Amino acid sequence: MAYPSNDETPTWIDLLRHGEPEGGRRYRGQQDDPLSGRGWQQMRRAVQQDDHWDSIISSPLRRCRAFAEELSAARDIPLHIEPDFAEIHFGDWEGRTMEQIAETEADALAAFWADGLNNPPPGGENVGAFGRRVAAAWDRWIERLRGQRILLVCHGGVIRMTMAHVLETPPQTMMARLQVPYACRSRIRVDDTPHGRLRCLLMHGGPE
């Protein structure tokens, strides 16, 4: 993509999903499980010595925050904790595996993945509300840290909603169709130009 010339320094944002949490795969949402030993290894392997960031932003949940705190201390990078970058709330499904939910609520599970805007998990957050809070937090931090290189340590759902916002794609489409493995890295560039703010996805993918 060709960017119009401007005097503003681009803002670069690397998004890093947390590694494997203790307890393995399940609808964890805002249940605050820590990283497993394997999860710590995944996160540390995802970051290279020549990576440079001016600021780190993290979800408040331990599977993100603990690694962000370690990296912040090791490299002397300012760390900001943003509650609105917490994962979607899965309500009554939190802490349960897909198989456990499907045993008694298969129709509700299918309805959520088909249309999470109108069929949220019981007692949980709908995809539209989730997307709006992530987009609002994203816009706040891009404005506050304009021109910096930023690392955002967060969740698969948060990355999906960020992509939906940046690419102007319906949140439900991105929620259902974008794979985000553990310790996956993505990169977005933001340019403020005389023609407005331009946002471009440069990279998505990585380990698991």
Side-chain angles (χ1 to χ4, degrees):
M1 176 179 180
Y3 284 80
S5 61
N6 65 91
D7 296 330
E8 293 274 357
T9 301
T11 306
W12 301 86
I13 308 93
D14 288 331
L15 299 97
L16 175 62
R17 188 190 177 194
H18 61 78
E20 176 191 79
E22 289 186 1
R25 293 188 181 278
R26 57 189 63 241
Y27 280 67
R28 189 164 276 102
Q30 295 183 17
Q31 179 172 299
D32 202 10
D33 293 335
L35 290 170
S36 67
R38 181 168 182 252
W40 276 105
Q41 292 175 355
Q42 291 168 330
M43 296 292 279
R44 289 166 178 155
R45 283 199 302 264
V47 171
Q48 308 303 316
Q49 285 297 321
D50 59 354
D51 283 324
H52 168 72
W53 296 289
D54 302 301
S55 296
I56 301 172
I57 308 171
S58 177
S59 159
L61 298 175
R62 285 188 293 171
R63 58 192 184 270
C64 300
R65 182 172 184 159
F67 175 77
E69 289 173 340
E70 177 186 84
L71 186 65
S72 170
R75 302 197 182 187
D76 193 26
I77 304 172
L79 172 62
H80 310 277
I81 304 300
E82 175 51 68
D84 283 340
F85 285 138
E87 183 61 288
I88 188 171
H89 198 291
F90 280 115
D92 295 348
W93 294 349
E94 297 221 335
R96 299 167 64 189
T97 66
M98 180 180 290
E99 292 75 18
Q100 288 169 337
I101 298 167
E103 285 179 5
T104 57
E105 299 176 74
D107 289 345
L109 187 61
F112 168 72
W113 287 111
D115 182 6
L117 292 169
N118 296 303
N119 300 288
E125 188 174 18
N126 75 54
V127 170
F130 177 40
R132 287 190 293 274
R133 73 167 163 86
V134 169
W138 172 268
D139 288 342
R140 287 197 306 272
W141 283 104
I142 293 303
E143 190 64 33
R144 179 173 172 181
L145 303 179
R146 181 187 294 186
Q148 294 193 21
R149 289 183 173 266
I150 304 162
L151 175 65
L152 172 56
V153 185
C154 58
H155 308 270
V158 172
I159 292 171
R160 292 179 179 99
M161 293 302 95
T162 298
M163 298 293 189
H165 182 50
V166 168
L167 300 177
E168 299 181 0
T169 301
Q172 181 61 34
T173 299
M174 202 62 73
M175 192 73 176
R177 297 182 184 176
L178 182 68
Q179 287 287 342
V180 186
Y182 288 140
C184 175
R185 281 183 61 167
S186 308
R187 178 169 293 171
I188 292 169
R189 171 174 167 165
V190 178
D191 283 76
D192 287 287
T193 80
H195 308 281
R197 176 166 288 174
L198 302 179
R199 303 173 295 192
C200 183
L201 174 64
L202 302 179
M203 178 190 76
H204 174 72
E208 178 167 87

